[in-house]
């Protein structure tokens, strides 16, 4: 982990500006076995120092790819010059934001390193398991991926601290030949926040997940195309999380609200069924650490939960310090940067639709003709709330029972319209945290939700 | 600034000292100056200095790679040790190799020195023109940067390439608004060395602004029908990238899921389609002079009048599959133009869509795709009727490129690729 050479540098902060200094190291480890062939075996580290200086609401930012006391002076000077460059040319005043109370984030979690050989060994063990037990597959891939962020943040007018964000996953991907001769694929991610030893010292917990993945792939091999149209469906927790993130979350990021998102004119109005409450959690949710806990953001704001929809009413946005001042609210710690040379942007943390009271069985039994959509390959949404998710795993529901598996399809809709059709929520939340959100920079995010009965447009063939 | 040749020599000495015999390494440094605006007002100016060092070692057929950005002696020592440890932990594979020796060469392109005050003025002029000519278009975020990088690649067979490149990049996210009417998000961008030509006239900036304004007038598209789709150049690039990922690139050739495994030399697309990756093309500013594997890049025609010439295979994938290596791993893509003027192409459509963007699930290995048509317009009896929302398109990637009706005479160059409009039949279009 990086040494704290940042904190003593407060003396270099200039008067009359707002400054944040960040020491930052990202690490990644990656092993890829494709059909048993080791096609990637790589380790990477990047480290540097950045400064952001704000003058009359205009930001100057600079970073260098090294980590010494001298570098801190360099970036502060360059960032100040950049802020002045814009301030001198700016035609009209911009929004400014007030100082925050100070404070220190909780002590960081340890980032542990694991020998590359152990990473390869565990991937080979999983690959051997899959290959031995399921030799009928067309292809198999096992990926170990680990990334961690280690940051020391010092702000001239806010909180600071040393924070870390380690996470690691193993992806298992399988493909098989369908009855038409074309391949079908599925994948599953194992792991979460923390290091290798937190998740992969005992693989016995993984085998049932792999067996389930294969079983579902065999279902999909015999799968059918969904019938296109507006249907009653149950979105599984993974899909609900994707909806919370893509279709609603992005539209309530305050920078996109100011850019004209559909959330702007809908604040304090009903945007969903009264059953729906949506929260962007920081460090804890439901009495446990969130999938990717965040305690301090990169502007020096101590993190707290942001309630976005309460009982169907849009109650707030996710902000940075500047937009929080604009909307007359307090920032909750959503300004985050991915790499040492990235500026903080408004990002989600752990966005989740809260659970309801139904069981999944009750929900399936309630549908005469519809679909249970379990997992998503990807998703995108627009400022208007128009969204699209790829559906990689789903089943028909016929007469209250699960039917045939579905081939890959897509669902789409307008988030605030679709959320008003939610009429049942299951009592269990499923989280996912292995992906990256993309918005100029990548960012690890958690997303979750319960099973959700609603109406949605599904694409057929 | 570092002397990256000197650092490269240090790396060489370190690798030899530690007993590495087969290796390649790359040292780089870069500087980016980036201007950001929010709603046509400059709000952020970034200056970023970055470095890179990557080392790959092959010991007894076992490969390890490590990378970082610390160019100090300690940093170099660590990246070499990590690569060697990685190789020692690895699995023997006779496909692991480095490129054979090629003559050392120095490449230089673009504009090395940034003129940021002039670039600032150019971006400001672009926003002023937008406000005047496209008042209903909201430039949510405009980012312009000048990035220059200096790279030094060496392998143990004696290949040594050096490249210096500097380019301006412009990217914009925009939406349309008119009273209570709002459009979705649109994005476009380009790279250039040209600050003389107004920035708004480069790439497909004007087409996107016109389309965004026109998107304010949406029309309902009820029902479902099979029709003609005209892909805009930007959207065609997206589809070509998906096609490559599904049928042509190394991963799907190695794992055997490509449906074109035995199709080299055969007709896989309409004879109207010729696709090349360029190493030299005066229209493209962002060219890659050498590949990540250490091959001097060449112009590669991937599909020639519909016939598949080759797959896109790096050295490992080529050796693994017993096929030739592709000496171009960039996406500096040119799709040859056709002889149909765009207006004639639109006039020939009975019922269909002009599709400017696609928001869809990644196509399955079978090539089936479905997703939302973004920034798209309904065409009926040869005339553009209006913009559509909540409209999905479904089809098969392979069939899209087989069922080509026409390729436009016009092309758009965004500094990274040169692409035409393309019309094809047989796509299922579903309204709400």
């Amino acid at each position: 982990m990086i040494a704290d050479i940042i904190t003593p540098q407060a003396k270099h902060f200039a008067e009359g500006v707002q400054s944040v200094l960040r020491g930052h190291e990202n690490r990644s480890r990656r092993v890829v076995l494709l059909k048993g062939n080791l096609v990637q075996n790589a380790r990477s580290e990047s480290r540097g120092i950045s400064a952001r200086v704000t003058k009359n609401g205009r930001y100057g930012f600079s970073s260098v790819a090294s980590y010494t006391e001298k570098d801190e002076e360099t970036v502060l000077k360059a960032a100040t010059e950049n802020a002045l460059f814009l301030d001198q040319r700016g035609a009209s005043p911009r929004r400014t934001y007030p100082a925050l109370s100070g404070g220190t984030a909780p002590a960081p979690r340890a980032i542990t390193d694991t020998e590359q050989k152990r990473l390869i060994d565990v991937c080979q063990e999983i690959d051997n398991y899959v290959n031995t037990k399921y030799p009928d597959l067309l292809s198999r891939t096992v990926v170990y991926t680990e990334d961690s962020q280690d940051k020391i943040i010092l702000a001239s007018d806010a909180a600071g601290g040393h924070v870390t964000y380690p996470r690691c996953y193993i992806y298992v991907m399988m493909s098989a030949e369908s009855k038409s001769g074309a391949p079908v694929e599925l994948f599953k991610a194992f792991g979460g926040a923390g290091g290798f030893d937190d998740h992969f010292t005992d693989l016995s917990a993984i085998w049932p997940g792999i067996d389930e993945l294969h079983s579902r792939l065999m279902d999909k091999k015999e799968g059918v195309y969904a019938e296109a149209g507006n249907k009653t469906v149950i979105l599984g927790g993974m899909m609900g999380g994707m909806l919370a993130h893509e279709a609603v979350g992005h539209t309530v990021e305050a920078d996109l609200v100011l850019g004209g998102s559909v959330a702007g004119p809908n604040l304090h109005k009903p945007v969903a069924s009264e059953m729906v409450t949506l929260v962007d959690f920081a460090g804890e949710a439901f009495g446990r650490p969130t999938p990717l806990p965040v305690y301090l953001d990169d502007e020096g704001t101590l993190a707290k939960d942001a309630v976005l929809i309460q009982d169907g009413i849009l109650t707030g946005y996710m902000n940075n310090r500047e937009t929080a001042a604009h909307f007359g609210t307090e920032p909750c710690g959503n300004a985050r940067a991915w790499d040492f040379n990235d500026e903080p942007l408004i990002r989600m943390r752990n966005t989740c639709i809260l659970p309801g009271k139904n069981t999944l069985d009750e929900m399936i039994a309630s549908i005469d003709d519809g679909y249970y959509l379990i997992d998503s390959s990807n998703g995108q949404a627009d400022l208007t709330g128009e969204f699209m998710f790829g559906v990689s795993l789903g089943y028909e529901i016929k007469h209250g029972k699960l039917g045939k598996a579905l081939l890959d399809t897509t669902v789409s809709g307008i988030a605030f319209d679709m959320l008003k059709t939610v009429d049942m929520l299951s009592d269990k939340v499923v989280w996912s945290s292995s992906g990256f959100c993309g918005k100029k920079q990548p960012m690890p995010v958690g997303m979750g939700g319960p099973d959700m009965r609603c109406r949605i447009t599904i694409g057929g063939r | 600034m570092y002397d990256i040749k000197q650092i490269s020599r240090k790396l060489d000495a370190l690798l030899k000292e530690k007993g590495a015999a087969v290796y390649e390494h790359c040292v780089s440094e870069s500087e980016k100056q980036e201007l950001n605006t929010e709603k046509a007002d400059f709000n952020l100016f970034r200056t970023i200095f970055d470095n890179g060092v990557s080392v790959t070692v092959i010991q007894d057929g076992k490969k390890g790679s490590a990378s970082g950005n610390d160019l100090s002696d300690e940093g170099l020592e660590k990246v070499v040790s990590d690569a060697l440890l990685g190789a020692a932990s690895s699995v023997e594979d006779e496909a692991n190799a480095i490129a054979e020796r090629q003559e050392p060469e120095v490449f230089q392109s673009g504009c090395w020195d940034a003129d940021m005050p002039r670039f600032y003025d150019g971006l400001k002029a672009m926003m002023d023109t937008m406000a005047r000519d496209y008042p209903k278009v909201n430039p949510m975020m405009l980012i312009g940067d000048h990035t220059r990088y200096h790279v030094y690649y060496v392998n143990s067979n004696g290949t040594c390439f050096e490249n210096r490149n500097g380019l301006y990049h412009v990217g914009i996210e925009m939406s349309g608004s008119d009273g209570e009417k709002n459009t979705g998000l649109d994005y476009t961008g380009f790279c250039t060395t040209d600050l003389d030509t107004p920035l708004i006239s480069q790439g497909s900036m004007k087409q996107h602004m016109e389309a965004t304004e026109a998107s304010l007038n949406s029309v309902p598209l009820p029902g479902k029908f099979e029709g003609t789709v005209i892909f805009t150049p930007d959207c065609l690039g997206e589809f070509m990238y998906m096609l490559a990922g599904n049928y042509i690139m190394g991963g799907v050739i190695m794992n055997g899921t490509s449906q074109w495994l035995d199709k080299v030399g055969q007709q896989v697309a309409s004879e109207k389609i010729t696709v090349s990756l360029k190493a030299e093309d005066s229209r493209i500013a962002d060219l890659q002079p050498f590949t990540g594997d250490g091959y001097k890049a060449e112009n590669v025609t991937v599909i020639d009048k519909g016939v598949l010439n080759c797959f896109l295979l790096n050295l490992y994938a080529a050796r693994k599959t017993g096929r030739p290596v592709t000496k171009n791993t960039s996406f500096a893509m040119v799709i040859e133009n056709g002889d149909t003027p765009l207006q004639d192409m639109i006039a020939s459509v009975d019922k269909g869509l002009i599709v400017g963007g696609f928001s869809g699930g990644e196509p399955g290995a079978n090539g089936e795709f479905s997703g939302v048509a973004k920034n798209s317009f309904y065409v009926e009896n040869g005339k553009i009727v209006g913009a559509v929302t909540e409209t999905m398109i479904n089809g098969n990637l392979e069939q899209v490129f087989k069922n080509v009706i026409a390729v436009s005479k016009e092309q758009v160059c965004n500094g990274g690729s040169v692409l035409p409009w393309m019309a094809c039949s047989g796509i299922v279009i579903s309204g709400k």
Side-chain angles (χ1 to χ4, degrees):
Chain A
M1 289 168 60
I2 52 177
D4 185 5
I5 59 169
I6 301 290
T7 306
Q9 301 304 315
K11 58 182 180 286
H12 292 300
F13 287 151
E15 293 292 323
V17 295
Q18 293 163 292
S19 305
V20 181
L21 198 57
R22 186 172 84 238
H24 188 149
E25 181 179 78
N26 280 14
R27 294 197 325 201
S28 74
R29 309 285 183 252
R30 194 165 169 88
V31 171
V32 180
L33 282 175
L34 195 159
K35 277 185 158 176
N37 297 303
L38 183 64
V39 297
Q40 219 178 98
N41 175 24
R43 301 164 74 84
S44 178
E45 268 135 47
S46 68
R47 185 165 60 165
I49 296 178
S50 73
R52 192 185 75 173
V53 172
T54 314
K55 172 77 175 171
N56 294 329
R58 292 180 205 278
Y59 300 102
F61 182 95
S62 182
S63 65
V64 293
S66 56
Y67 193 71
T68 68
E69 284 88 349
K70 186 167 159 278
D71 297 320
E72 293 164 343
E73 285 186 62
T74 306
V75 293
L76 276 168
K77 183 168 176 290
T80 304
E81 285 170 4
N82 286 351
L84 292 174
F85 177 94
L86 293 186
D87 187 46
Q88 286 157 5
R89 284 167 174 75
S92 53
R94 282 188 56 81
R95 298 183 291 264
T96 56
Y97 52 86
L100 295 177
S101 56
T104 305
R109 291 159 290 179
I111 296 176
T112 53
D113 204 359
T114 307
E115 283 177 22
Q116 198 77 0
K117 183 164 188 336
R118 286 186 72 200
L119 310 183
I120 296 170
D121 286 348
V122 81
C123 287
Q124 284 183 319
E125 191 176 345
I126 291 171
D127 185 69
N128 286 338
Y129 177 87
V130 175
N131 191 34
T132 306
K133 195 162 182 182
Y134 304 116
D136 53 337
L137 294 174
L138 184 61
S139 179
R140 63 187 193 278
T141 306
V142 180
V143 177
Y144 176 85
T145 179
E146 175 184 325
D147 56 71
S148 64
Q149 295 176 293
D150 183 358
K151 303 177 179 181
I152 297 173
I153 294 154
L154 179 70
S156 64
D157 61 347
H162 191 167
V163 288
T164 56
Y165 303 103
R167 62 174 193 160
C168 62
Y169 301 89
I170 288 177
Y171 293 90
V172 179
M173 302 168 208
M174 299 177 182
S175 65
E177 199 168 274
S178 69
K179 55 193 175 189
S180 70
V184 291
E185 299 169 310
L186 279 180
F187 79 92
K188 187 173 176 69
F190 303 89
F196 179 89
D197 287 327
D198 295 319
H199 300 286
F200 302 122
T201 49
D202 177 13
L203 294 181
S204 63
I206 286 181
W207 307 139
I210 290 177
D211 294 341
E212 183 188 54
L213 180 69
H214 181 265
S215 165
R216 287 181 159 167
L217 182 70
M218 293 302 105
D219 292 345
K220 189 173 175 181
K221 201 175 137 177
E222 306 297 322
V224 295
Y225 286 102
E227 186 186 328
N230 193 258
K231 302 286 182 185
T232 299
V233 304
I234 299 170
L235 293 182
M238 301 282 271
M239 296 284 295
M242 180 74 88
L243 182 89
H245 177 95
E246 292 289 352
V248 183
H250 281 301
T251 65
V252 293
E253 290 169 335
D255 49 345
L256 297 186
V257 173
L258 291 169
S261 89
V262 66
N266 279 298
L267 190 62
H268 305 307
K269 292 182 182 170
V271 294
S273 140
E274 288 178 3
M275 303 177 82
V276 175
T277 293
L278 173 65
V279 180
D280 182 52
F281 289 102
E284 281 192 5
F286 314 116
R288 303 180 60 186
T290 51
L292 301 173
V294 174
Y295 300 107
L296 172 72
D297 79 1
D298 296 319
E299 291 187 319
T301 302
L302 291 167
K304 57 186 180 182
D305 300 342
V307 180
L308 306 170
I309 296 174
Q310 177 79 55
D311 302 327
I313 306 292
L314 180 64
T315 51
Y317 305 136
M318 286 171 281
N319 288 286
N320 59 19
R321 291 175 63 182
E322 179 191 332
T323 61
H326 175 84
F327 287 111
T329 186
E330 288 184 352
C332 292
N334 287 92
R336 305 165 69 203
W338 164 243
D339 211 343
F340 76 90
N341 53 18
D342 286 327
E343 77 279 23
L345 302 175
I346 298 174
R347 308 305 296 259
M348 284 171 256
R349 296 156 310 177
N350 299 279
T351 315
C352 183
I353 295 172
L354 303 196
K357 292 180 178 168
N358 294 109
T359 65
L360 176 60
D361 288 343
E362 286 168 358
M363 293 168 71
I364 292 171
S366 74
I367 295 176
D368 191 50
D369 181 15
Y371 298 105
Y372 177 36
L373 307 176
I374 301 172
D375 209 349
S376 175
S377 52
N378 68 327
Q380 294 168 0
D382 207 335
L383 285 181
T384 55
E386 184 174 21
F387 65 85
M388 179 293 311
F389 306 144
V391 180
S392 57
L393 178 64
Y395 289 86
E396 294 176 325
I397 302 176
K398 298 283 184 195
H399 312 300
K401 290 190 166 43
L402 290 184
K404 289 180 179 166
L406 298 180
L407 294 168
D408 291 330
T409 187
T410 306
V411 291
S412 64
I414 304 286
F416 289 165
D417 293 345
M418 175 255 149
L419 282 172
K420 286 175 184 157
T421 70
V422 173
D423 58 3
M424 291 177 97
L425 292 172
S426 78
D427 52 4
K428 289 191 176 61
V429 163
V430 177
W431 286 100
S432 65
S433 63
S434 62
F436 283 93
C437 169
K439 180 182 169 185
K440 192 179 180 194
Q441 310 156 15
M443 183 58 67
V445 289
M447 49 183 126
D451 298 297
M452 190 158 50
R453 194 177 85 159
C454 60
R455 298 281 300 180
I456 206 165
T457 301
I458 189 162
R461 194 179 196 193
Chain B
M1 302 294 271
Y2 291 88
D3 180 346
I4 65 171
K5 278 191 209 175
Q6 171 73 14
I7 289 166
S8 184
R9 280 194 285 273
K10 275 190 194 174
L11 268 178
D12 236 46
L14 260 176
L15 282 156
K16 283 178 179 143
E17 183 190 311
K18 291 179 183 285
V22 180
Y23 57 82
E24 59 186 354
H25 54 79
C26 195
V27 184
S28 65
E29 63 175 348
S30 65
E31 180 182 344
K32 174 187 276 194
Q33 296 186 75
E34 181 189 88
L35 288 160
N36 292 250
T37 73
E38 182 193 73
K39 295 190 115 176
D41 186 17
F42 289 96
N43 70 331
L44 169 66
F45 184 10
R46 300 200 304 151
T47 305
I48 294 163
F49 300 94
D50 205 355
N51 315 312
V53 52
S54 64
V55 173
T56 295
V57 177
I58 300 170
Q59 301 271 63
D60 303 322
K62 301 194 287 186
K63 182 158 86 174
S65 299
S67 61
N69 67 351
D70 183 355
L71 300 188
S72 69
D73 288 351
E74 297 76 27
L76 300 183
E77 184 89 38
K78 180 168 188 334
V79 82
V80 167
S81 298
D82 281 355
L84 284 162
L85 270 173
S89 312
S90 187
V91 179
E92 188 179 340
D93 187 338
E94 60 183 21
N96 287 327
I98 57 170
E100 55 270 24
R101 184 179 190 282
Q102 292 150 93
E103 286 302 312
E105 201 160 344
V106 177
F107 307 92
Q108 186 146 353
S109 60
C111 46
W112 183 252
D113 291 315
D115 186 344
M116 291 309 286
R118 192 164 170 227
F119 189 43
Y120 178 99
D121 291 342
L123 291 168
K124 187 161 187 321
M126 178 174 156
M127 290 188 291
D128 290 345
T129 308
M130 272 184 79
R132 187 191 66 210
D133 296 348
Y134 305 97
K136 292 171 186 169
V137 178
N138 167 22
M140 290 176 55
M141 186 167 67
L142 171 69
I143 300 176
D145 75 71
H146 177 273
T147 303
R148 64 183 184 186
Y149 61 89
H150 182 196
V151 186
Y152 205 78
Y153 169 90
V154 167
N155 77 14
S156 54
N157 283 340
T159 300
C160 172
F161 293 137
E162 182 178 2
N163 183 31
R164 283 173 190 266
N165 176 274
L167 285 176
Y168 294 97
H169 303 86
V170 178
I172 185 168
E173 271 184 4
M174 61 186 121
S175 64
S177 61
D178 186 13
E180 291 190 350
K181 287 195 282 189
N182 290 295
T183 72
L185 203 57
D186 192 17
Y187 173 85
T188 189
F190 63 89
C191 59
T192 187
T193 58
D194 176 10
L195 295 187
D196 294 328
T197 306
L199 297 174
I200 199 167
S201 301
Q202 299 193 41
S204 51
M205 284 282 160
K206 283 188 174 173
Q207 287 99 320
H208 279 264
M209 288 169 196
E210 284 161 12
T212 296
E213 257 192 0
S215 294
L216 286 162
N217 301 311
S218 63
V219 293
L221 185 69
K224 175 175 162 182
F225 62 94
E226 193 173 294
T228 298
V229 163
I230 297 176
F231 293 100
T232 65
D234 284 359
C235 192
L236 179 58
E238 286 180 48
F239 269 74
M240 186 51 74
Y241 194 80
M242 290 196 290
L243 185 84
N246 258 48
Y247 298 96
I248 302 174
M249 291 173 86
V252 291
I253 305 304
M254 283 195 290
N255 70 19
T257 55
S258 167
Q259 304 281 282
W260 288 359
L261 277 182
D262 55 356
K263 297 280 177 70
V264 173
Q266 295 183 32
Q267 198 82 27
V268 294
S270 158
E271 61 183 17
K272 296 182 175 71
I273 296 296
T274 295
V275 184
S276 309
L277 302 180
K278 299 293 187 184
E280 291 180 3
D281 189 302
S282 59
R283 297 167 294 180
I284 298 179
D286 193 8
L287 292 164
Q288 178 196 60
F290 55 90
T291 70
D293 290 329
Y295 284 104
K296 184 180 175 185
E298 298 174 354
N299 287 346
V300 173
T301 303
V302 184
I303 297 175
D304 189 4
K305 295 187 173 63
V307 174
L308 179 66
N309 268 354
C310 62
F311 296 119
L312 300 180
L313 304 177
N314 63 15
L315 180 58
Y316 177 83
R319 287 170 64 94
K320 200 75 197 168
T321 58
R323 299 172 187 270
V325 67
T326 313
K327 293 180 181 171
N328 193 320
T329 49
S330 75
F331 248 80
M333 183 166 58
V334 174
I335 298 182
E336 296 302 326
N337 58 340
D339 51 12
T340 307
L342 176 61
Q343 287 310 319
D344 292 356
M345 185 185 275
I346 295 169
S348 70
V349 175
D350 289 334
K351 200 173 179 186
L353 288 182
I354 300 171
V355 176
F358 176 71
S359 175
E362 288 168 19
N366 57 9
E368 297 290 322
F369 68 85
S370 70
V372 181
K374 307 294 290 184
N375 315 108
S376 298
F377 297 87
Y378 178 50
V379 182
E380 195 175 74
N381 298 325
K383 292 203 164 36
I384 298 172
V385 179
V388 294
T389 59
E390 296 188 69
T391 298
M392 297 191 78
I393 55 174
N394 306 323
N396 182 282
L397 271 178
E398 186 177 16
Q399 293 305 318
V400 164
F401 287 91
K402 277 187 171 161
N403 297 340
V404 175
I405 300 167
V407 177
S408 73
K409 202 170 179 178
E410 299 89 340
Q411 289 168 304
V412 167
C413 175
N414 65 10
S417 59
V418 183
L419 302 169
W421 282 258
M422 183 183 88
C424 70
S425 61
I427 292 184
V428 177
I429 298 165
S430 322
K432 193 173 181 184

